[in-house]
Amino acid sequence: MASMSKWTFLQAMCLVVSLSKAVPENYEDDIDVNFGPNYFNEITEEDQMEGETPTPSPEPCKGPVFTKWDKLFTMLENSQMKENMLLQYTDDIIKVELQSLREEMLQFVAQYGGSCASAVESSVRRAGIQTETRLQNAIDRVREVSADQSTQHDAALQQLLAASVNQAARLERLENDCLKWRGRGLASQAKSVQTRHLMQEVSETENGGRLEKTLAPISNELQTIREQLTLYTKSVFANSLPSGCDTGLLFPTRSSTAYVEVSPKTPFQTNAVTICLWVKPTQVLNKTILFSYSTTGNAYELQLVLNGQSVFFTVDGETHLVQASGAAQEGQWVHICAVWSSQQGLASLWVNGQQSASSPGVAEGHELRSKGSILLGQEYGRFFRHLSIPDTFDAELAFTGKMTGVNMWDRVLDSKEISQQARLDGSGCGIRGNVVAWGVSDIKPKGGDRKDTKKERRQ
């Protein structure tokens, strides 16, 4: 048993020695991809004999006899070892090359980075100087053009002033002549005066040249007078009440206590309504109340609200509304009508006699309750049941400006009736509603200082 153990140990030692000789010593530089001696890769005739047992060599240093499977496993181990050495060698080469490339890149950046930065900085500086120069030139040109236009405008204004003075003198002479004309000879005298002036102008024109040269300045002067009259009419309309309205309400400031209460002519309970009014807002915020109708069961039965330049008309709360955009301008009179019918919930807004917006399904089937309160320029809102408490209003919702021609009907007005009220040269305030009638219904400013809300008469 001991002799067998020694023999096995000797065989293992010989195998290790033979394998160490098969591996090249300097594999980092020279790698031999051959597979060693041939007797490790070939199957001898002795291996092909079946049933024969290899005879152990009496010499312990000789190589053992391997079977075909031992040789095959040995070949696989050699191949794996050489493959690992090739991969290791390739990895080392790649690492060395990458390190070299990194050093070259760092050297390049250190050598040329400063010059590139200076070049970029100089280019940016030149571009900034050029841009500043161009902007300065443009500003100078704009100033020159503005100066020329200002000079031209001044000259045109001087000419306009001189023409106005001349026309005023002519009108004054004509007025004096008209005051002197009496009786039946008024027409003949006027015709003679006109003929005399015309003949004088024609004679002056013939002495100076063509007739067109004289008619052209006269036409220009007439056009200037027409434009001045148009501006004067607009200015008068903006500073006074609309045509046909003798009185109005003035809301000079926003107040948390001042309001205007309207008492209807008769109690009403209806499923249709039309509200019309003239307003001239001084300032419009996100929500400015024009007209509100509140009851004990619903503080938001009806509301007519300005929101910027838009007009909102709500029925039975803010969820049911119709909106007209661009309807109101600060400092300008505008006529607004709101129409609603519970049948199909059809609601519409009319601005200056023209329909601006309409929407179906607004509080369809709803009925307005009676015994409510109508306010102008403010709303009760959630404070409706606490009227005895002072300062119950929100000053941010208060209307500032002028208001007149407030009327309310318990029916739907047609387009002709609405447009008749919005005419500037008509008598819109003479058309009165059957629920609220301007000039007939009791409209009282209440609360706060009397200066916060007051009535204004047409001058």
Side-chain angles (χ1 to χ4, degrees), residues 183-312:
R184 298 178 180 178
L186 181 63
S188 60
Q189 291 178 7
K191 185 180 295 184
S192 63
V193 171
Q194 293 177 356
T195 304
R196 187 168 59 254
H197 284 296
L198 181 61
M199 292 299 295
Q200 183 179 358
E201 291 179 357
V202 169
S203 61
E204 293 177 356
T205 303
E206 290 178 352
N207 294 331
R210 296 182 179 180
L211 182 62
E212 289 80 0
K213 293 183 179 180
T214 303
L215 293 179
I218 296 175
S219 177
N220 294 334
E221 291 178 0
L222 291 176
Q223 181 67 25
T224 303
I225 294 173
R226 186 181 295 110
E227 293 176 356
Q228 291 176 351
L229 289 176
T230 302
L231 293 175
Y232 176 76
T233 302
K234 292 181 179 179
S235 176
V236 171
F237 175 69
N239 294 324
S240 63
L241 298 176
S243 178
C245 299
D246 296 328
T247 59
L249 294 172
L250 176 61
F251 300 81
T253 59
R254 300 185 185 274
S255 174
S256 61
T257 57
Y259 62 99
V260 175
E261 187 174 19
V262 181
S263 299
K265 295 170 61 178
T266 56
F268 68 97
Q269 186 169 355
T270 180
N271 54 7
V273 68
T274 300
I275 303 168
C276 293
L277 48 81
W278 283 94
V279 292
K280 178 186 175 183
T282 302
Q283 184 183 21
V284 179
L285 302 180
N286 292 334
K287 184 178 180 181
T288 301
I289 305 298
L290 298 178
F291 180 99
S292 67
Y293 176 65
S294 305
T295 62
T296 55
N298 188 356
Y300 304 99
E301 281 282 359
L302 293 173
Q303 278 197 337
L304 193 58
V305 181
L306 290 180
N307 190 342
Q309 295 183 354
S310 301
V311 180
F312 289 174

Side-chain angles (χ1 to χ4, degrees), residues 352-407:
N352 292 329
Q354 301 294 326
Q355 183 174 339
S356 296
S358 63
S359 177
V362 177
E364 183 176 357
H366 180 67
E367 186 177 19
L368 296 178
R369 301 180 182 181
S370 61
K371 298 181 180 180
S373 179
I374 299 176
L375 295 185
L376 300 179
Q378 191 54 268
E379 67 170 7
Y380 279 127
R382 65 180 184 274
F383 304 109
F384 181 71
R385 296 182 180 179
H386 308 282
L387 301 183
S388 59
I389 303 176
D391 299 335
T392 56
F393 297 108
D394 187 356
E396 295 296 327
L397 304 180
F399 170 75
T400 57
K402 295 181 180 181
M403 184 182 300
T404 187
V406 182
N407 292 282

Side-chain angles (χ1 to χ4, degrees), residues 9-23 64 66:
F9 176 75
L10 291 175
Q11 287 181 343
M13 290 296 295
C14 292
L15 179 60
V16 171
V17 171
S18 61
L19 289 175
S20 61
K21 292 181 178 181
V23 178
F66 296 101

Side-chain angles (χ1 to χ4, degrees), residues 99-265:
Q99 183 66 24
S100 176
L101 181 61
R102 181 176 179 276
E103 293 177 356
E104 292 179 359
M105 290 296 295
L106 292 176
Q107 184 178 2
F108 177 80
V109 170
Q111 183 176 359
Y112 298 101
S115 59
C116 291
S118 60
V120 171
E121 183 179 0
S122 61
S123 299
V124 172
R125 188 182 298 107
R126 287 196 300 271
I129 294 173
Q130 293 177 359
T131 304
E132 185 178 357
T133 304
R134 292 178 180 177
L135 287 175
Q136 187 63 36
N137 294 334
I139 292 172
D140 294 340
R141 287 196 297 271
V142 169
R143 289 177 178 174
E144 292 176 358
V145 172
S146 300
D148 295 340
Q149 291 181 352
S150 178
T151 303
Q152 294 177 1
H153 290 167
D154 293 340
L157 289 175
Q158 293 294 334
Q159 294 178 1
L160 179 61
L161 181 59
S164 300
V165 172
N166 188 15
Q167 291 297 329
R170 291 185 180 182
L171 290 174
E172 185 177 0
R173 288 197 302 269
L174 289 175
E175 184 178 0
N176 294 332
D177 293 339
C178 289
L179 291 176
K180 295 178 181 179
W181 293 338
R182 302 286 183 179
R184 298 178 180 178
L186 181 63
S188 60
Q189 291 178 7
K191 185 180 295 184
S192 63
V193 171
Q194 293 177 356
T195 304
R196 187 168 59 254
H197 284 296
L198 181 61
M199 292 299 295
Q200 183 179 358
E201 291 179 357
V202 169
S203 61
E204 293 177 356
T205 303
E206 290 178 352
N207 294 331
R210 296 182 179 180
L211 182 62
E212 289 80 0
K213 293 183 179 180
T214 303
L215 293 179
I218 296 175
S219 177
N220 294 334
E221 291 178 0
L222 291 176
Q223 181 67 25
T224 303
I225 294 173
R226 186 181 295 110
E227 293 176 356
Q228 291 176 351
L229 289 176
T230 302
L231 293 175
Y232 176 76
T233 302
K234 292 181 179 179
S235 176
V236 171
F237 175 69
N239 294 324
S240 63
L241 298 176
S243 178
C245 299
D246 296 328
T247 59
L249 294 172
L250 176 61
F251 300 81
T253 59
R254 300 185 185 274
S255 174
S256 61
T257 57
Y259 62 99
V260 175
E261 187 174 19
V262 181
S263 299
K265 295 170 61 178

